[in-house]
Amino acid sequence: EDKVVQSPLSLVVHEGDTVTLNCSYEVTNFRSLLWYKQEKKAPTFLFMLTSSGIEKKSGRLSSILDKKELFSILNITATQTGDSAVYLCAVGGGSYIPTFGRGTSLIVHP
Amino acid sequence: KAGVTQTPRYLIKTRGQQVTLSCSPISGHRSVSWYQQTPGQGLQFLFEYFSETQRNKGNFPGRFSGRQFSNSRSEMNVSTLELGDSALYLCASSERGDGEGTQYFGPGTRLTVL
């Protein structure tokens, strides 16, 4: 059975801090790993990673995948209150069904 | 391009009733997946349709069913509702839906079962 584990489950920081969110996985025939941000609505897409060691960046957010150690990290630098959300990691495997982690709840205080 | 739309946005039903939720994917997307999201279980996969065929199914009872039409719009039906079916039901569309591409989520239907 495919498995995705995110850590930490929750995180409380102050504006300006840098945070690192973790996602480890066990899937058969890995295809891709995706990060989503979910506020009080539907998840919105952040990154899709398929190759090891290639960092993807979007503004203050960046992510990298390690296919040998089976994990990914999502970094957010200079956090803002608008970054407060649940961050979801999903892995697409050979079963064609994306498996989601439980998410990391990030709260950024002003 | 318009995003994924779901109707209705909110629904209140009583135990034993049935409900039908609708999802219109992004134009050109042929894959539609349905998820149930609850505080206790997180996001759980229900099923995926591609070109009118159910391609994958999650671990949910037979009370949960769905279908996809030729225009890629999809409906999900839950019969004999139980209290535990109260959840946010999310629909997501993608071009290929093979676990490789990006899924774009709709706003969800919040179902409350009393």
Side-chain angles (χ1 to χ4, degrees):
Chain A
E1 184 182 325
D2 295 345
K3 191 174 165 186
V4 176
V5 177
Q6 291 186 247
S7 62
L9 287 180
S10 64
L11 201 49
V12 180
V13 301
H14 287 95
E15 270 193 324
D17 288 348
T18 293
V19 297
T20 298
L21 311 183
N22 302 289
C23 175
S24 63
Y25 62 90
E26 294 174 25
V27 296
T28 307
N29 299 324
F30 173 89
R31 289 171 179 254
S32 63
L33 185 145
L34 300 99
W35 284 98
Y36 291 87
K37 176 182 181 183
Q38 185 173 26
E39 297 168 270
K40 290 181 183 178
K41 48 188 179 177
T44 54
F45 170 77
L46 293 174
F47 299 111
M48 182 171 77
L49 304 156
T50 56
S51 302
S52 268
I54 299 174
E55 186 182 50
K56 294 236 175 162
K57 281 181 74 82
S58 176
R60 296 175 294 101
L61 278 66
S62 64
S63 184
I64 197 160
L65 173 68
D66 185 328
K67 288 168 75 174
K68 183 179 174 189
E69 300 297 328
L70 307 183
F71 77 92
S72 172
I73 59 171
L74 174 68
N75 277 320
I76 309 175
T77 59
T79 51
Q80 303 171 357
T81 54
D83 294 327
S84 295
V86 174
Y87 291 83
L88 296 166
C89 170
V91 178
S95 65
Y96 300 105
I97 300 171
T99 301
F100 281 79
R102 297 294 299 275
T104 292
S105 173
L106 173 65
I107 297 173
V108 182
H109 285 309
Chain B
K1 270 187 183 178
V4 179
T5 58
Q6 290 186 246
T7 56
R9 295 291 310 280
Y10 301 91
L11 207 47
I12 300 175
K13 292 285 189 178
T14 55
R15 278 181 300 174
Q17 287 187 307
Q18 75 162 25
V19 67
T20 298
L21 313 181
S22 180
C23 171
S24 292
I26 291 172
S27 177
H29 286 191
R30 291 194 290 166
S31 167
V32 174
S33 297
W34 288 90
Y35 295 86
Q36 181 194 66
Q37 188 173 37
T38 59
Q41 299 294 323
L43 253 175
Q44 292 188 289
F45 174 80
L46 279 155
F47 28 66
E48 184 226 0
Y49 286 87
F50 185 85
S51 293
E52 300 179 68
T53 301
Q54 186 183 86
R55 190 159 61 173
N56 293 289
K57 190 175 192 305
N59 192 24
F60 276 81
R63 300 185 297 106
F64 292 81
S65 63
R67 59 178 175 167
Q68 187 180 34
F69 302 95
S70 58
N71 61 359
S72 292
R73 189 176 71 84
S74 176
E75 286 182 349
M76 189 191 98
N77 185 274
V78 188
S79 62
T80 320
L81 284 166
E82 300 177 1
L83 295 178
D85 297 334
S86 294
L88 179 66
Y89 290 88
L90 291 164
C91 156
S93 78
S94 65
E95 288 183 40
R96 292 179 297 186
D98 55 5
E100 204 167 303
T102 302
Q103 289 192 315
Y104 296 90
F105 284 84
T109 294
R110 173 76 62 186
L111 172 65
T112 302
V113 182
L114 302 175

